[in-house]
Amino acid sequence: MAASCTLTVPAPFAAASSSSSTSARRYRRFGVVAMASVGQKVYAPGVAVSDGNGGLPKISLKSPHGSEAEIYLFGACVTSWKVPSGKDLLFVRPDAVFNGQKPISGGIPHCFPQFGPGPMQQHGFARNVNWSITDSEVTEGDPTVTLELKDDSYSRSMWDFSFQALYKVKPWCSSMCLHALLSAKS
Ligand SMILES: O=P(O)(O)OC[C@H]1O[C@@H](O)[C@H](O)[C@@H](O)[C@@H]1O
């Protein structure tokens, strides 16, 4: 079974112009390419990982066109998306915890493989585990990162399926593209 979902979130307060380009100039890199400052790892220009709240690893995406986004590896939760005006269009709850024990409440969370209460924890386990960076790329200056979550003994104990979830985050000036791809088999 494979399911794919692409969500493009418009920025109502952003400038009307978009930074997306049809130019074919593009490159792709894997893994850490530089240390920009103490504790910060750069995966591609505009794609860096550093310690966020509570010391949890946080990806920062910065486009030279003015948009910025923050994604925590814990839960692959997008907690911030700033448009070129500097306005942040996302928020987390004031009492959100960043301790790696409870899900980050707010931003754009993943409810998988269950929504709400049920046989496992509220909204499933995907927002309660660390995802990993599987790809990063830059197109015309706009950074993109892809996160991955795969089954392990922890997920199997609650949901006995083999799966791979890929989550691609691409913030532009006037919209943000979120692409989720799930492949699962019994
Ligand atoms: O508070 P949590 O566990 O992060 O869940 C997020 C939200 O999930 C929704 O389904 C509930 O209706 C909300 O009440 C809740 O705040």
Side-chain angles (χ1 to χ4, degrees), residues 82-144:
K82 288 182 182 165
V83 289
S85 68
K87 185 175 180 64
D88 199 331
L89 303 187
L90 299 178
F91 63 92
V92 295
R93 284 168 51 147
D95 59 352
V97 293
F98 293 80
N99 62 8
Q101 303 298 313
K102 288 185 65 178
I104 298 169
S105 268
I108 305 175
H110 291 275
C111 299
F112 174 80
Q114 162 192 300
F115 181 81
M120 63 188 80
Q121 56 207 271
Q122 162 102 335
H123 296 324
F125 53 75
R127 65 178 191 148
N128 215 3
V129 292
N130 284 311
W131 293 51
S132 58
I133 297 174
T134 188
D135 190 18
S136 58
E137 63 190 58
V138 177
T139 306
E140 291 298 316
D142 288 320
T144 299

Side-chain angles (χ1 to χ4, degrees), residues 44-79:
V47 182
V49 177
S50 60
D51 287 348
N53 289 334
L56 297 182
K58 179 187 74 177
I59 304 167
S60 298
L61 300 179
K62 290 189 181 177
S63 163
H65 303 107
S67 57
E68 297 181 14
E70 292 181 353
I71 308 133
Y72 278 82
L73 295 187
F74 189 69
C77 186
V78 183
T79 54

